[in-house]
Amino acid sequence: MDPLADTLRRLREAFSAGRTRSPEFRAAQLKGLGRFLQENKQLLQEALAQDLHKSVFEAETSELLMCQNEVDLALKNLHNWMKDEPVAKNLFTQLDSAFIQKEPFGLVLIIAPWNYPMNLPLVSLVGALATGNCVVLKPSELSKSTEKVLAEVLPQYLDQSCFAVVLGGPQETRQLLEHKFDYIFFPGSPRVGRIVVAAPAKHLTPVTLELGGKNPCYVDDDCDPQTVANRVAWFRYFNCGQTCVAPDYDPRRSPSLGRVRRLRGLLGCGRVAIGGQSNRTSAPSVRGPRPARPREQGPRMGTGRSLCSPCNGRRPKPSSFDDEPPPGLFCRPQVVTQMLHQTSSGIVGGNQGFIHLTLSTLLLGGVDDGIGRYHGKFSFDTFSHHRASLLSSSGLEKLNELHYPPYTAHSQKLITWVLGSHRCALL
């Protein structure tokens, strides 16, 4: 017996019955998620401290607050986001109703990574709930304390006929991916992303992948070195350096910085040029002698022209330019403009780290290192099927007779004129 079969059948039955479609139900689910965040703040902070040694401040700013902001934004705009979107019409359809309808996909699977074990699954969950989908959430087994809270506490705040948490490691995840879902969302590593996108291909299931890319950081010659050092060090050390747009390791003693204890083995793969001290935690380290990839090189000095070349060459396009086109562009406005016009990346941060990730109004998504986008309304759009709709009257048949053969010279000329010279009239 497949232990997942009953769970998935229950969720599909709830969706087929239309339980999740009303704006009232969606709002109730979002409010439940908001209460989960508010009423279990200390429990969540303790779980994040156990998993990643996150300080209360970092847990609040990088995980809990960002999730709450997404909930608040979705509740504030839910009715507006759900509205049909009218589109321009041509002369043939002036008496018809043409619009884009946003409808839920159905049964959605969200697979979460370990580096932001609360932020990444719950920010995407907001979008899935707001669009009226039923959801299976698979937390990371590597963040055991957070996984436990998500599995045992979160379902108490949501309708369990429409939401489920599935636990397990890689083997269980592969078994989960054997089932048919209507949409799959995964923010994590490219290695796992390849598995996630390949498994549902037999079902033609649409997938969003938000993966970690290589992120150069460009520092112009005339920047203030101390300012750049402060900002680059902050966003590279934040969250143990385990952010898709700013990875690095941590100093040993700071109570404000997290810990990743599985990195020790990586330091043995090559000569350590700088740092390398490791006990229970790892100091900031640079490995050698193999040529570093863009993100491993750290800040790069040079002209805008010299940096545009590697960013547009054979390497994958970066996730961020601050580190991506560079994720970080520390330079004059004219150089920023040059980089924006001559490079491509998922996001761009000028003269800062990854503060852009705190804005729900800006999308998060890659070019070569991902498929799709999310955050705020972009999450709502991602988890919605956009259905093109044209509703015509059953009467007015005389007007429609123009479309029917046999075509006269006059009707052909008129149809060509309508579809050619007047393709779309403004609404």
Side-chain angles (χ1 to χ4, degrees):
M1 289 292 293
D2 185 347
L4 295 172
D6 287 343
T7 298
L8 300 183
R9 182 170 57 252
R10 166 172 54 85
L11 298 179
R12 285 202 177 277
E13 288 175 353
F15 181 78
S16 297
R19 184 171 180 79
T20 64
R21 291 199 173 242
S22 73
E24 293 77 17
F25 181 86
R26 302 184 196 190
Q29 293 291 89
L30 292 171
K31 290 176 182 176
L33 181 54
R35 288 197 304 275
F36 165 75
L37 293 168
Q38 295 162 8
E39 295 174 8
N40 298 281
K41 181 175 291 189
Q42 183 175 348
L43 181 63
L44 295 171
Q45 290 171 346
E46 291 171 354
L48 291 167
Q50 292 165 9
D51 287 334
L52 289 168
H53 200 275
K54 286 202 175 191
S55 67
V56 171
F57 173 76
E58 185 172 327
E60 180 70 18
T61 56
S62 70
E63 305 263 8
L64 307 182
L65 187 58
M66 291 184 68
C67 295
Q68 187 64 56
N69 288 344
E70 290 281 328
V71 171
D72 294 342
L73 182 69
L75 282 171
K76 181 179 179 180
N77 295 280
L78 182 61
H79 285 271
N80 188 48
W81 290 350
M82 288 180 63
K83 288 180 181 177
D84 295 338
E85 180 183 332
V87 298
K89 298 176 288 187
N90 58 30
L91 292 181
F92 274 134
T93 57
Q94 281 302 295
L95 300 179
D96 302 332
S97 177
F99 56 91
I100 304 296
Q101 182 187 29
K102 287 74 172 284
E103 62 173 7
F105 279 101
L107 182 56
V108 166
L109 171 63
I110 297 174
I111 304 174
W114 60 268
N115 60 325
Y116 283 94
M118 195 67 60
N119 178 329
L120 293 176
L122 295 192
V123 166
S124 50
L125 178 61
V126 169
L129 295 178
T131 48
N133 292 287
C134 289
V135 182
V136 172
L137 177 63
K138 167 59 181 72
S140 172
E141 74 283 0
L142 300 178
S143 305
K144 294 189 179 300
S145 298
T146 308
E147 178 192 46
K148 180 179 174 65
V149 177
L150 292 176
E152 297 181 0
V153 183
L154 177 57
Q156 301 174 25
Y157 290 83
L158 301 176
D159 189 315
Q160 296 185 42
S161 68
C162 307
F163 175 76
V165 177
V166 173
L167 304 180
Q171 180 178 347
E172 289 77 12
T173 301
R174 287 188 175 89
Q175 292 173 351
L176 188 60
L177 288 169
E178 287 298 311
H179 291 271
K180 184 183 186 318
F181 290 89
D182 300 303
Y183 203 93
I184 297 176
F185 184 96
F186 173 70
S189 71
R191 179 184 62 82
V192 179
R194 292 184 181 93
I195 298 172
V196 170
V197 77
K202 63 183 178 182
H203 302 301
L204 298 179
T205 301
V207 176
T208 285
L209 303 176
E210 195 272 294
L211 310 176
K214 290 300 180 183
N215 307 309
C217 183
Y218 174 69
V219 181
D220 203 30
D221 294 330
D222 60 357
C223 288
D224 177 61
Q226 187 60 58
T227 298
V228 173
N230 293 342
R231 298 183 186 185
V232 170
W234 175 75
F235 75 74
R236 284 188 173 273
Y237 290 145
F238 192 80
N239 195 55
C240 313
Q242 300 303 306
T243 303
C244 61
V245 297
D248 211 327
Y249 310 141
D250 308 297
R252 296 181 58 184
R253 296 183 178 167
S254 172
S256 299
L257 299 176
R259 306 287 188 268
V260 180
R261 297 187 176 119
R262 299 184 297 119
L263 299 175
R264 230 177 131 182
L266 298 178
L267 297 177
C269 302
R271 180 177 61 84
V272 176
I274 300 173
Q277 299 87 354
S278 177
N279 185 6
R280 295 182 64 196
T281 58
S282 299
S285 307
V286 176
R287 242 179 5 189
R290 67 188 180 110
R293 298 178 70 179
R295 182 167 60 186
E296 296 161 342
Q297 290 173 342
R300 300 183 58 183
M301 307 297 292
T303 65
R305 181 183 300 251
S306 67
L307 193 52
C308 289
S309 177
C311 288
N312 288 330
R314 289 170 295 177
R315 297 174 176 134
K317 295 175 183 177
S319 306
S320 152
F321 221 159
D322 171 70
D323 260 16
E324 294 175 349
L329 292 173
F330 294 90
C331 47
R332 297 158 291 163
Q334 57 267 39
V335 178
V336 172
T337 300
Q338 179 186 357
M339 300 297 281
L340 288 173
H341 283 86
Q342 298 183 22
T343 63
S344 177
S345 68
I347 51 179
V348 176
N351 293 311
Q352 55 96 357
F354 43 67
I355 297 297
H356 39 41
L357 299 183
T358 66
L359 292 178
S360 297
T361 50
L362 288 177
L363 63 87
L364 178 60
V367 184
D368 288 345
D369 57 353
I371 304 170
R373 55 191 185 175
Y374 74 120
H375 275 191
K377 187 176 184 297
F378 301 103
S379 294
F380 186 91
D381 290 338
T382 286
F383 286 104
S384 298
H385 168 59
H386 289 212
R387 180 159 64 174
S389 304
L390 178 67
L391 307 183
S392 301
S393 169
S394 58
L396 304 173
E397 184 61 14
K398 282 294 181 183
L399 292 178
N400 284 281
E401 288 178 357
L402 182 65
H403 308 162
Y404 306 150
Y407 301 112
T408 65
H410 173 71
S411 65
Q412 292 181 51
K413 183 176 181 180
L414 182 57
I415 292 173
T416 302
W417 176 75
V418 170
L419 296 180
S421 300
H422 300 271
R423 289 183 181 88
C424 278
L426 295 177
L427 293 171

